[in-house]
Amino acid sequence: MGKFQVISHPLIQHKLSILRRQTTSTKDFRELVNEIAMLMGYEVSRDLPLEDVEIQTPVSKTVQKQLAGKKLAIVPILRAGIGMVDGFLSLVPAAKVGHIGMYRDEETLEPVEYLVKLPEDIDQRQIFVVDPMLATGGSAILAVDSLKKRGAANIKFVCLVAAPEGVKKLQGAHPDVEIFTAALDDHLNEHGYIVPGLGDAGDRLFGTK
Ligand code: PRP
Ligand code: URA
């Protein structure tokens, strides 16, 4: 089984509760997704490798730490994943951003891929796939399939709300992919929505419904 972690920082939990509220506006929803993504980004980048670097302070020479050469890529699953990109980029501004476009067929709940645009050297990058929702797990699994087909090997999946069904399915399909979520909810309803969840993340983020 792949590693799985709920990031339960108080600021994240507080902001997530506001995000879930039906009355939260599109503007606030967008700002909150951005803020929570930044806080998640801080936590999920804890094990980035460091290397020694010699620097000169105003006082003396000293050996300190800097991020090692490993390059990063942030890969949002469209549309809703886009809302998490800026939060991550505010921490790692030099990261490249790839896009995977996917929507769930509303009847079958199966994901349909419509766009893949990735940095050329994706096989050499530490990748953070971001999507606010991990429901059945279909979209996440197909996104990771797509990345692996193009040589990607070092992948972490970061979401805001996960259903136990989706976590289990993603862990089973890709045990090497570490999963981080801000909340593990109760279950999926008959329409594949997370309960209690926050509704349709893409629609709430972009005001399309
Ligand atoms: C949502 C969400 C995930 C997917 C999760 O996207 O952002 O990508 O559903 O569901 P799953 O785990 O059952 O695959 P949606 O298909 O609504 O597309 P959108 O982001 O364009 O609204
Ligand atoms: N996609 C969403 O946006 N919300 C859910 O609850 C499930 C899938």
Side-chain angles (χ1 to χ4, degrees):
M1 274 290 162
K3 285 196 207 161
F4 167 72
Q5 201 180 318
V6 179
I7 309 277
S8 56
H9 190 289
L11 288 174
I12 295 179
Q13 300 311 309
H14 178 81
K15 289 173 191 290
L16 187 58
S17 297
I18 306 174
L19 191 73
R20 289 179 187 274
R21 283 178 194 268
Q22 194 170 14
T23 49
T24 297
S25 68
T26 297
K27 173 183 169 288
D28 289 347
F29 193 91
R30 202 177 287 142
E31 285 172 9
L32 285 159
V33 168
N34 185 45
E35 289 168 14
I36 299 170
M38 188 182 70
L39 293 165
M40 297 279 292
Y42 180 76
E43 293 285 344
V44 306
S45 56
R46 264 183 194 284
D47 61 355
L48 286 181
L50 292 169
E51 63 188 9
D52 287 343
V53 58
E54 190 181 70
I55 56 166
Q56 173 78 55
T57 75
V59 180
S60 72
K61 276 198 170 146
T62 173
V63 174
Q64 298 293 331
K65 299 286 182 195
Q66 67 179 14
L67 287 174
K70 190 155 231 143
K71 301 178 193 166
L72 303 179
I74 301 155
V75 179
I77 302 179
L78 309 189
R79 292 173 300 164
I82 290 176
M84 296 176 68
V85 172
D86 281 351
F88 269 70
L89 282 179
S90 60
L91 299 176
V92 282
K96 292 266 164 54
V97 180
H99 293 88
I100 297 185
M102 220 166 260
Y103 67 87
R104 284 200 319 180
D105 181 298
E106 283 186 8
E107 270 167 29
T108 65
L109 298 183
E110 289 299 319
V112 181
E113 188 178 87
Y114 59 86
L115 173 99
V116 180
K117 186 78 187 165
L118 301 170
E120 254 179 39
D121 56 353
I122 195 73
D123 54 320
Q124 293 158 43
R125 290 180 179 269
Q126 160 72 65
I127 299 165
F128 293 98
V129 176
V130 296
D131 188 330
M133 310 305 277
L134 177 61
T136 65
S139 305
I141 290 171
L142 191 57
V144 174
D145 286 344
S146 218
L147 286 163
K148 286 187 174 173
K149 226 187 285 168
R150 291 163 176 86
N154 206 336
I155 304 171
K156 295 182 197 287
F157 182 84
V158 186
C159 62
L160 304 188
V161 182
E165 295 90 330
V167 172
K168 201 167 159 209
K169 207 162 146 201
L170 179 56
Q171 282 180 316
H174 295 292
D176 56 306
V177 173
E178 195 169 353
I179 305 168
F180 298 91
T181 186
L184 180 62
D185 274 12
D186 199 57
H187 66 281
L188 291 177
N189 70 15
E190 65 277 22
H191 306 294
Y193 275 84
I194 301 175
V195 181
L198 49 74
D200 187 307
D203 284 342
R204 294 198 67 186
L205 191 66
F206 295 108
T208 40
K209 218 179 252 174

